[in-house]
Amino acid sequence: MNHPLSQAILSYAIQYDGQWSAIGQAIKNKQPYQPVICTTKYVTIVDDNYPLCFRRLRYPPWILFYKGKLELLDQPTIGIVGARQCSKQALINTETVVKHLRNRYCIVSGLAKGIDGQAHRFAKHTIGFIGCGIDRIYPKENMNLYSSMSLNQLIMSEYPLYTPPYRSHFPWRNRLIAASIDALIVIEATYKSGTMLTVNECNTLGIPVYCLPTAFENEAYPGCNHLIESGAYMISNASDLDSIL
């Protein structure tokens, strides 16, 4: 049974399009609300089945809408992230890394194009966090992947139905990826990207970060080498993956 405040949080989330600070203010002020009907599954911060991993965040989500199996968050998890506009080699590397890890870990990523989608595609169990309403498929090229994951895996968002994929949502959702994982692997990245925001959140939470080094002549994706210089663990071959955690 849901907590009495759960319905209020749902109503606030819909009224304020999932905006964290506005929902928090409404809760603080005990703002009057009208009960609403939600056609998708959700869990709020006051419910008994709220995933514990998100409570360690400075700004834990008030509510999470989801499709699929919430219990996947109870498994050992590895986050795999990287550039949307990635190289062909990065896609090959992602496939290799996921195939090596998928029997031991649930793979977590952001259901974006590029490395995220590739990570989900080759996982046995996988969780995707999105920056729009749970009914929105973005990007469209991941439509088949989204359909499969919504039935057999787990897709989560703190934004209510019909919320568009605004650019500002994606950096914010990256904290959810970080909170839900035991370690992070960065396949390929630029200096300034959402990947770096996920890394920063992992550093705040004390979650280890691993990177695949970038080739000497590759000037387009210097992010991983920069992270390794800054203290991230380097994965130079498949056997290094066995030492994670």
Side-chain angles (χ1 to χ4, degrees), residues 24-80:
Q25 194 64 38
I27 295 171
K28 180 180 179 181
N29 295 337
K30 298 181 180 180
Q31 179 179 306
Y33 67 92
Q34 292 295 326
V36 295
I37 296 175
C38 184
T39 57
T40 191
K41 293 183 286 188
Y42 70 94
V43 60
T44 75
I45 197 169
V46 296
D47 295 326
D48 292 339
N49 61 334
Y50 183 84
L52 292 177
C53 61
F54 300 119
R55 294 191 184 277
R56 57 179 169 169
L57 286 169
R58 181 180 181 186
Y59 303 107
W62 302 114
I63 187 169
L64 286 160
F65 302 91
Y66 67 96
K67 291 184 177 182
K69 303 174 181 178
L70 195 63
E71 61 268 23
L72 287 179
L73 285 165
D74 297 327
Q75 295 189 13
T77 52
I78 294 285
I80 296 182

